[in-house]
Amino acid sequence: MEKDKWMNQAESHILHTYNRYPVVLDHGEGVYLYDMEGKKYLDFAAGIAVQALGYGNVEYNQSLKDQIDKLLHTSNLYYNQPTVEAAEKICAACGMDRVFFTNSGTEAIEGALKTAKKYAYTKDGCTDHEIIAMNHSFHGRSMGALSVTGNAHYRGPFEPLPGIVKFAEFNDLDSVKSLVNDKTCAIIMETIQGEGGIYPAEESFLTGVKQICQERDILLILDEIQCGMGRTGHMFAWQEYGVKPDIMTCAKALGCGVPVGAFVMTEKVAEGSLKPGDHGTTYGGNPFVGAAVSKVFDIFAEQKITEHVKEIGEYLQEQLEQLKSEYDCIAAHRGKGLIQGLELTIPVGEVSTKALKEGLILITAGSNVLRFVPPLVIEKEHVDEMILKLKKVLA
Ligand SMILES: *Cc1c(COP(=O)(O)O)cnc(C)c1O
């Protein structure tokens, strides 16, 4: 079969760091993907929470085509209009002040960590500052991002990792308090842990951590790479809690398919941290990705995406809750908006593989969680279709 040919070629030339699902995807339309044999899949993964607008959005696609014909790349030695517009729209959406564009989420984390270290260094001239991160967190795979990722399996072979990082328990304020000292420069966490198994921060935890940070001028870094960009029904997940970070990281749905991330900070942090020469990137924030980000914010506003997510998210919540009451193999249901998870007592990998056969794309999180991060433009009928297919798989 043609498909096998491509799969075999992939396995002989592409470094084997993923155990891929046996499917060769070809094109997408709306909230559906099609493989090269024409089989149709309902997409409840959105390329890992990236394709918030689904596939084939005419307005988005046209703006990228126009930008390609105008100007793709210039470097950061010059100004360009689309990226300035994109930065303005991010700042307006989060009420923060300064943006640095990156090419990925991992790089946004790197930049956030450097910002925190430079902020502390500017204050006391020391380089021995500590960062507190959370167990079961995920922030990326580079050495710096891995240094704050609380997953022994990902970290093990690459130790020692840079910096002094201590790990607290997510949603356990005392465990954070016990690690804070005069050397702590930042506390980093996801507002909703994604890869770790879809665990939202509890309100008392997030407000408690914020208070510690404010009292001691420690920077709160919230990683919104997966849970941000409307996924919870708020543009950024922290907005529901009213806990504003000092630095926020963003990526995944920020460009809805083009590789772009950002770290965003308050003016106070910007003034006390990175200066010309401290950080840079060749590609980051080029006109092409700038046009994409700018258009994403326009479409989110036009289509009232956050309101739509609130409505559909609630419906998904009800349906998954119902499913949980019907199936013994579902041990827990967590999440909000369109980032939800079902914790299973049966192997989740087998469930997602079988779902694929039924024409449903689902991904996993942690070792035992089925993760639901569909395009934000799904409708109730798609939730119903997903539930129907999932029931077939579970039966
Ligand atoms: C995906 C993810 C990252 C890493 O982003 P990449 O674009 O893969 O580098 C970091 N943090 C969180 C919370 C993520 O979900």
Side-chain angles (χ1 to χ4, degrees):
M1 269 200 303
E2 264 264 295
K3 167 181 139 180
D4 294 323
K5 187 190 92 187
W6 287 103
M7 281 169 45
N8 289 337
Q9 266 176 256
E11 291 311 331
S12 52
H13 297 298
I14 296 174
L15 190 67
H16 194 148
T17 56
Y18 283 92
N19 291 318
R20 293 173 208 270
Y21 291 102
V23 57
V24 184
L25 293 173
D26 183 69
H27 63 280
E29 192 54 53
V31 297
Y32 293 94
L33 283 165
Y34 296 82
D35 68 18
M36 58 181 295
E37 287 151 343
K39 182 171 168 174
K40 184 179 179 181
Y41 301 85
L42 175 62
D43 182 15
F44 258 68
I48 319 186
V50 167
Q51 300 284 345
L53 301 174
Y55 305 90
N57 183 298
V58 175
E59 194 184 336
Y60 171 85
N61 287 2
Q62 193 56 51
S63 76
L64 293 199
K65 289 173 195 169
D66 292 346
Q67 190 60 45
I68 287 172
D69 288 336
K70 242 176 134 181
L71 187 62
L72 262 184
H73 176 81
T74 62
S75 91
N76 279 303
L77 301 176
Y78 313 94
Y79 299 96
N80 76 75
Q81 289 172 14
T83 301
V84 177
E85 283 168 7
E88 278 176 347
K89 287 170 191 176
I90 294 177
C91 290
C94 64
M96 296 170 77
D97 305 302
R98 293 196 180 260
V99 182
F100 184 104
F101 286 106
T102 64
N103 310 295
S104 67
T106 300
E107 286 167 87
I109 296 290
E110 293 288 332
L113 298 178
K114 278 182 72 178
T115 303
K117 294 197 91 167
K118 183 72 195 296
Y119 183 83
Y121 174 83
T122 304
K123 280 195 290 184
D124 66 8
C126 295
T127 55
D128 57 350
H129 298 105
E130 302 177 2
I131 292 170
I132 297 175
M134 301 298 144
N135 282 323
H136 308 295
S137 62
F138 182 84
H139 299 293
R141 306 296 201 132
S142 64
M143 296 296 276
L146 202 51
S147 78
V148 289
T149 290
N151 180 320
H153 176 69
Y154 291 165
R155 302 163 55 88
F158 307 104
E159 305 265 8
L161 292 160
I164 307 167
V165 181
K166 295 177 171 171
F167 287 92
E169 281 305 318
F170 193 59
N171 282 333
D172 179 347
L173 193 58
D174 287 335
S175 82
V176 175
K177 281 182 181 161
S178 71
L179 297 178
V180 172
N181 63 40
D182 291 343
K183 288 292 175 191
T184 311
C185 70
I187 301 178
I188 181 169
M189 67 172 92
E190 295 147 271
T191 318
I192 298 177
Q193 288 194 332
E195 303 283 330
I198 316 294
Y199 288 93
E202 284 163 16
E203 191 168 348
S204 59
F205 179 67
L206 199 51
T207 49
V209 170
K210 174 73 184 179
Q211 197 181 347
I212 295 170
C213 289
Q214 271 177 325
E215 282 166 9
R216 309 182 65 129
D217 200 22
I218 294 168
L219 300 184
L220 175 61
I221 305 172
L222 289 182
D223 182 345
E224 291 264 337
I225 291 169
Q226 187 160 162
C227 60
M229 291 304 291
R231 191 152 287 282
T232 60
H234 299 264
M235 202 59 202
F236 299 103
W238 56 262
Q239 290 172 325
E240 186 184 347
Y241 302 78
V243 173
K244 191 173 168 178
D246 301 292
I247 306 173
M248 168 176 81
T249 58
C250 216
K252 291 201 163 92
L254 179 62
C256 283
V258 303
V260 59
F263 58 101
V264 191
M265 64 192 78
T266 61
E267 190 63 35
K268 182 181 176 215
V269 174
E271 270 169 21
S273 62
L274 302 180
K275 296 294 165 217
D278 280 337
H279 201 54
T281 167
T282 299
Y283 277 133
N286 77 13
F288 182 64
V289 301
V293 172
S294 182
K295 185 51 78 176
V296 165
F297 276 94
D298 291 349
I299 296 173
F300 266 57
E302 280 162 24
Q303 297 195 6
K304 298 190 168 62
I305 292 283
T306 51
E307 279 164 49
H308 179 73
V309 171
K310 277 193 189 111
E311 189 190 329
I312 299 293
E314 211 163 287
Y315 187 67
L316 178 64
Q317 190 97 26
E318 288 162 16
Q319 298 306 308
L320 291 180
E321 208 47 47
Q322 175 67 25
L323 201 69
K324 177 173 169 265
S325 70
E326 289 171 25
Y327 290 83
D328 289 340
C329 63
I330 303 175
H333 169 216
R334 291 187 292 271
K336 51 179 85 172
L338 290 177
I339 174 164
Q340 299 192 35
L342 289 179
E343 192 176 310
L344 304 187
T345 56
I346 54 175
V348 281
E350 282 174 31
V351 173
S352 57
T353 303
K354 278 189 185 148
L356 204 60
K357 291 205 182 98
E358 292 294 333
L360 170 64
I361 294 193
L362 274 180
I363 51 175
T364 62
S367 59
N368 58 357
V369 175
L370 215 47
R371 171 166 35 167
F372 303 84
V373 285
L376 303 184
V377 294
I378 57 160
E379 300 288 347
K380 285 182 181 168
E381 69 200 59
H382 302 120
V383 174
D384 293 341
E385 185 185 342
M386 180 278 290
I387 294 283
L388 221 63
K389 288 182 190 294
L390 186 54
K391 277 183 173 173
K392 271 194 201 163
V393 174
L394 293 177

